[in-house]
Amino acid sequence: MKKYSVRVYVTLRASVLDTAGTAVESGLHQLGYEGVEGVRIGKYIELSLRAESQEKAEADLHEMCDKLLSNPVIENYRFELNPVEA
Amino acid sequence: MKKYSVRVYVTLRASVLDTAGTAVESGLHQLGYEGVEGVRIGKYIELSLRAESQEKAEADLHEMCDKLLSNPVIENYRFELNPVEA
């Protein structure tokens, strides 16, 4: 079995209104940071994963993202996978 | 003024118990993904920022992270900054 360190980025689809992002953007403007635009807030997930191969690890990750880590209706996901010493 | 695309990663300090991460980890195990370990969940923020220089943009970002985007008591942050065509 190999071990992988994984980073998953879950973001709202562009078509979805990001109310949290909008709220943070107006908060930053009120603090005086007028130069800020287009704030979008998502999830950043770190985990480690044991699998027989990189292909198996990637297949599992796609399933995990579809089933639990993201909501496919309103969110996109991408991930980065790096082998680490087991 | 220059324009920068920014990615901010806000994560819990290692010493802080990640209850959400723990819940997601046990959920993944229940779904059959036994090989998953050490799930940590944080925030991933995308925004664009106008500033006179990269140094000014970075200074502003440190302030924004300290004041609003992260909770310095329990969270760490890091960011990536790339110039884009204004």
Side-chain angles (χ1 to χ4, degrees), chain A residues 33 37 40 42 44 46 63, chain B residues 33 40 42 44 46 48 63:
Chain A
Y33 304 104
E37 291 167 16
R40 305 279 294 178
Y44 169 63
E46 292 174 342
E63 286 180 19
Chain B
Y33 304 104
R40 305 279 295 179
Y44 169 64
E46 292 174 343
S48 56
E63 287 180 18

Side-chain angles (χ1 to χ4, degrees), chain B residues 44-82:
Chain B
Y44 169 64
I45 302 167
E46 292 174 343
L47 58 92
S48 56
L49 177 60
R50 292 178 189 281
E52 290 98 32
S53 66
Q54 177 125 349
E55 289 69 28
K56 174 67 169 129
E58 286 175 3
D60 281 355
L61 275 167
H62 280 295
E63 287 180 18
M64 289 188 240
C65 287
D66 287 333
K67 288 178 185 173
L68 186 64
L69 301 181
S70 80
N71 175 348
V73 174
I74 59 168
E75 291 174 327
N76 294 320
Y77 67 82
R78 60 187 172 84
F79 53 72
E80 295 158 4
L81 195 76
N82 292 300

Side-chain angles (χ1 to χ4, degrees), chain A residues 33-77:
Chain A
Y33 304 104
E34 302 296 339
V36 171
E37 291 167 16
V39 178
R40 305 279 294 178
I41 298 180
K43 283 176 282 193
Y44 169 63
I45 302 167
E46 292 174 342
L47 58 92
S48 56
L49 176 60
R50 291 178 189 282
E52 290 98 33
S53 66
Q54 176 125 349
E55 290 69 29
K56 174 67 168 129
E58 285 175 3
D60 282 355
L61 276 168
H62 279 295
E63 286 180 19
M64 289 189 239
C65 287
D66 287 335
K67 289 179 183 173
L68 186 63
L69 300 181
S70 81
N71 175 348
V73 174
I74 60 168
E75 292 174 327
N76 294 319
Y77 67 83

